[in-house]
Amino acid sequence: MIAVSYLIAGTIEIALPLVLGYILIKRLNTSWKMWFIGAMMFLVSLVRFPLNNYLTQLVVSGEITNISYWLIYLIPSITSGLFEESARYLGIRYLIRNDSYRTGITYGAGHGGIESIFLVGLNVLTIGIILFTNPESLGDMLYSINSTPWYLPLVGAYERVMTMIIQISLSIMVLETIRQKKIQYLLMAILIHAAINYISITAVGY
């Protein structure tokens, strides 16, 4: 059951963003170019990972206190909001150069879609395939996987659906920065993004 669950979840996390992109492009009369620019700019935003590692190492290199744990959660949350929303702004304003709401929705689907495919779906699907073909190659990881509830990967797929909705919503918020020439919408998107990440990470931690 756990192998089947991984296969289903991985397939959903990969196929859903592509199917959604196809539907949106057809319904909104946009283009795959907008979707792929959203995907590309998300990947560009991942340059924050080395910064996250560096700042986290600084935190854990000293005395570990309650503030240290707080910073370990806060650092990736802030950099995620800052880098992703800044990349979103640059992509829409300078690469797409179209401030229609249809653009924001399609761009957001690409941004959230590649996150689902690249960071989650491919890994989950790969684990599912290995569980069916050569589970012993997972080593100690196999025990951990078999100890988890069978439905947990499907919960991850549901989380990806919710995340894509949030990514599209944040794209519209950043779009308003361009449409109304008001930087506060971008700042709000950064803050909301960081807050959602922080709440999610701390909830898992507890």
Side-chain angles (χ1 to χ4, degrees):
M1 282 298 295
I2 191 68
V4 172
S5 183
Y6 267 94
L7 286 176
I8 293 174
T11 301
I12 291 173
E13 289 156 355
I14 294 172
L16 180 63
L18 299 174
V19 172
L20 178 62
Y22 176 81
I23 293 172
L24 290 176
I25 289 165
K26 287 294 185 180
R27 292 285 182 89
L28 301 177
N29 194 28
T30 51
S31 70
W32 279 107
K33 175 184 175 182
M34 297 177 181
W35 193 96
F36 279 111
I37 288 176
M40 179 186 71
M41 294 309 289
F42 170 78
L43 295 177
V44 168
S45 74
L46 297 183
V47 299
R48 69 183 184 272
F49 282 179
L51 176 62
N52 288 347
N53 293 335
Y54 174 73
L55 294 176
T56 301
Q57 287 300 317
L58 285 180
V59 171
V60 300
S61 63
E63 181 182 355
I64 303 299
T65 64
N66 289 334
I67 295 178
S68 301
Y69 288 109
W70 179 71
L71 288 174
I72 289 171
Y73 290 134
L74 189 62
I75 287 170
S77 300
I78 292 177
T79 59
S80 176
L82 182 61
F83 279 75
E84 283 193 48
E85 301 313 316
S86 297
R88 203 188 308 263
Y89 174 83
L90 294 173
I92 295 174
R93 180 166 184 177
Y94 296 107
L95 298 181
I96 296 179
R97 298 182 181 180
N98 184 325
D99 63 359
S100 70
Y101 289 120
R102 295 178 300 170
T103 297
I105 293 172
T106 306
Y107 179 98
H111 188 110
I114 199 65
E115 180 184 24
S116 177
I117 294 170
F118 184 70
L119 293 189
V120 184
L122 291 175
N123 292 329
V124 172
L125 184 61
T126 299
I127 291 174
I129 293 172
I130 294 174
L131 285 172
F132 265 110
T133 58
N134 187 22
E136 292 78 13
S137 65
L138 293 172
D140 294 338
M141 187 178 174
L142 181 61
Y143 175 79
S144 177
I145 291 174
N146 286 331
S147 300
T148 59
W150 67 267
Y151 56 81
L152 198 59
L154 298 177
V155 175
Y158 170 76
E159 182 268 341
R160 283 296 101 195
V161 173
M162 295 297 102
T163 299
M164 287 186 63
I165 293 173
I166 292 170
Q167 293 285 21
I168 292 173
S169 301
L170 290 172
S171 294
I172 297 298
M173 184 172 291
V174 171
L175 188 70
E176 283 299 297
T177 298
I178 300 169
R179 289 173 63 92
Q180 299 192 31
K181 296 180 174 60
K182 293 182 178 179
I183 194 65
Q184 55 261 44
Y185 288 104
L186 176 59
L187 297 177
M188 287 172 58
I190 293 172
L191 180 62
I192 291 171
H193 194 138
I196 291 173
N197 276 25
Y198 180 76
I199 294 170
S200 300
I201 295 173
T202 52
V204 172
Y206 289 119

